[in-house]
Amino acid sequence: MHHSYVERVESLTAELEESRKRELQLRTQVDNLAGLLKRKTLAECGNIETRRHDDMNENCEVQKLTEENERLRARISELNGEKLTLKEALRKAKEEKERLADELIQLSSSIEVEREEWDRMQADLLVAVRVANDFKVEAQEEMKGLYAKIADLQRRRQSGSGNISLGSVKAIDDPQQSWEDVAWQRLMRRCGRGSRRNALLRWCQQAISTYPNVDVTNFSSSWADGKALCYLLASFYPEKIDAECISSLSAEECVKMALDVGTRIGVKAQLSADVVLCDDRPDWSLVMKYILYIYYLVSARE
């Protein structure tokens, strides 16, 4: 019995020892589990903090992007405003350019008109100077003629020819004179006053005074359309020109018809249709010489 008790004690002691080992193992496992749980908890806390930090960073980035987006929108709005301003400025610049171009065209046109007027004025002035010089030459020639007549009369008076007046000198054409000199002498004997040019102009005016809408004031532009020349010839050669049809003819037709009639009646002064028609102010000296020849022929018939 005692032996059984001892065995029982030893057995219980062994079980107790075994239980202690088991308890130690369990505690070790519990500690391990506790450590693992703690590490897991810490890890989870770290992940949460990391996620929170990441979320904060992400929120900051989103905030920054939002602010940047707002700034970009504001900048785009400013650029759109500047674009509209530039478009308006460009439109105004184009309008100003077109206005300046129109002004330039008008100014160029005005300059061209003024240049043409200046050229015409210079041409008229040159004609006036030439006419004045012709007047001077004519006056000098007339003075020489008068001095010669006075000297001749004085010689006759001194030689006992009696009292002879200027009007008593017989007007006889000198056969040695040119047709121009003869024509001028006939014209001046007829008019008796003024310059030769004005005397010839008055003769033309009187000859065509019966025809309407014909104004002869010079030996250039007044004859440019050929009508005055046709009417002048019709006044003395009605059988060669029908005065009623002249007004319906063009300038070229009038000039050619007048020159053709002039050739047929014997006008030898040179004047071509190109000279008359090339400009609205033909060479007055050629026109006057041609008309003088017409007078030369007409006066020979009187």
Side-chain angles (χ1 to χ4, degrees), residues 216-283:
V216 174
T217 59
N218 55 60
F219 287 107
S220 182
S221 59
S222 296
W223 306 84
D225 61 358
K227 287 183 171 54
L229 191 57
C230 286
Y231 284 125
L232 180 63
L233 290 169
S235 299
F236 301 102
Y237 302 94
E239 73 282 1
K240 298 186 181 298
I241 290 185
D242 183 6
E244 294 182 357
C245 71
I246 295 174
S247 60
S248 62
L249 299 178
S250 66
E252 183 177 359
E253 291 172 335
C254 285
V255 171
K256 289 183 178 180
M257 181 173 66
L259 295 180
D260 179 64
V261 172
T263 301
R264 283 188 282 146
I265 65 175
V267 176
K268 296 180 181 179
Q270 297 297 320
L271 183 66
S272 66
D274 293 337
V275 171
V276 180
L277 296 171
C278 70
D279 192 5
D280 58 352
R281 286 179 172 80
D283 189 333

Side-chain angles (χ1 to χ4, degrees), residues 115-168:
R115 183 183 292 111
E116 292 176 356
E117 292 178 353
W118 174 252
D119 291 340
R120 285 195 295 269
M121 185 177 68
Q122 284 184 320
D124 293 341
L125 181 60
L126 182 60
V127 170
V129 171
R130 290 175 178 174
V131 171
N133 186 61
D134 290 342
F135 287 166
K136 178 182 177 182
V137 173
E138 290 174 6
Q140 290 174 346
E141 291 177 354
E142 290 175 1
M143 289 296 295
K144 289 179 181 179
L146 290 174
Y147 287 145
K149 289 180 180 180
I150 292 173
D152 183 60
L153 290 174
Q154 289 176 347
R155 284 195 302 272
R156 292 186 183 186
R157 185 179 295 113
Q158 292 174 358
S159 63
S161 299
N163 294 328
I164 303 175
S165 63
L166 290 175
S168 65

Side-chain angles (χ1 to χ4, degrees), residues 24-56:
L24 183 60
Q25 290 177 353
L26 290 174
R27 285 182 178 179
T28 301
Q29 290 179 357
V30 169
D31 291 339
N32 291 334
L33 289 174
L36 180 61
L37 181 60
K38 184 177 180 180
R39 287 194 299 274
K40 184 177 180 180
T41 301
L42 291 174
E44 289 179 356
C45 290
N47 290 334
I48 292 172
E49 186 67 24
T50 300
R51 284 198 300 271
R52 184 181 299 169
H53 181 71
D54 292 341
D55 291 341
M56 290 178 63

Side-chain angles (χ1 to χ4, degrees), residues 177-222:
Q177 289 181 315
S178 66
W179 69 265
E180 290 184 71
D181 292 335
V182 172
W184 285 124
Q185 288 178 1
R186 291 176 184 173
L187 180 64
M188 296 311 296
R189 285 198 298 266
R190 176 176 179 171
C191 296
R193 60 184 178 83
S195 67
R196 298 189 303 180
R197 177 182 176 278
N198 286 338
L200 183 60
L201 189 62
R202 286 196 300 272
W203 176 76
C204 294
Q205 292 169 342
Q206 292 172 0
I208 63 177
S209 60
T210 58
Y211 299 106
N213 302 322
V214 184
D215 187 19
V216 174
T217 59
N218 55 60
F219 287 107
S220 182
S221 59
S222 296

